[in-house]
Amino acid sequence: MNHYRLADLTPGVTESFTVTITEEMMAQFYAITGDNSPIHMDADYAAGRGYPGRVVYGMLGASFLSTLAGVYLPGEHCLLHGVDLKFAKPIFIGDTLTVTGVVDEVNDTFREITIKASIVNQDGKKVTRAVIRAGVAQ
């Protein structure tokens, strides 16, 4: 876990990590949310919609933005204020995702940073992009 404080952060500071989406993650997300949409649960249904397999929950992929802020950038001293995101492409079970954040702005008055974030799959395709606003301890 990183321990950035507001004074440590300037535009351009970057952190990233990778994660591979598993069947178990999908099952755990379903158990928590109860989202049983067939596009997430039924490979045949997903294939009928033109996808190569079950589509991963968008919010499962997006949940790694919380990990980015709370563990990597800024890490321990973070409190999320907001996340604006766009799902650019679907994620599939077995995809390896690289989650990257770059500090875009530092606001000393409000003790808040703005992070431009992206999630890219193993083929280099951007699957999610986001702007994260986070409070950071001084």
Side-chain angles (χ1 to χ4, degrees), residues 11-136:
V13 172
T14 303
E15 292 287 347
S16 66
F17 67 97
T18 60
V19 60
T20 300
I21 302 297
T22 66
E23 291 270 358
E24 182 180 5
M25 289 175 181
M26 288 288 286
Q28 291 173 339
F29 196 87
Y30 167 68
I32 292 167
T33 66
D35 181 348
N36 64 355
S37 171
I39 201 142
H40 304 305
M41 306 294 288
D42 184 335
D44 291 334
Y45 178 86
R49 300 275 312 272
Y51 296 107
R54 293 166 45 205
V55 176
V56 170
Y57 299 99
M59 294 306 290
L60 172 57
S63 70
F64 294 110
L65 297 170
S66 178
T67 305
L68 175 67
V71 176
Y72 294 93
L73 185 64
E76 175 187 11
H77 304 295
C78 172
L79 179 63
L80 281 179
H81 289 179
V83 179
D84 298 316
L85 62 96
K86 172 151 177 58
F87 301 114
K89 296 197 178 304
I91 299 169
F92 301 98
I93 297 166
D95 280 358
T96 297
L97 308 175
T98 300
V99 183
T100 303
V102 180
V103 174
D104 188 51
E105 291 179 45
V106 177
N107 185 319
D108 292 317
T109 303
F110 294 108
R111 290 185 257 172
E112 183 178 82
I113 61 172
T114 301
I115 301 165
K116 288 194 174 177
S118 64
I119 302 176
V120 176
N121 69 15
Q122 67 280 350
D123 299 322
K125 294 183 179 168
K126 191 177 290 185
V127 297
T128 308
R129 62 179 181 263
V131 176
I132 301 168
R133 291 176 319 283
V136 184

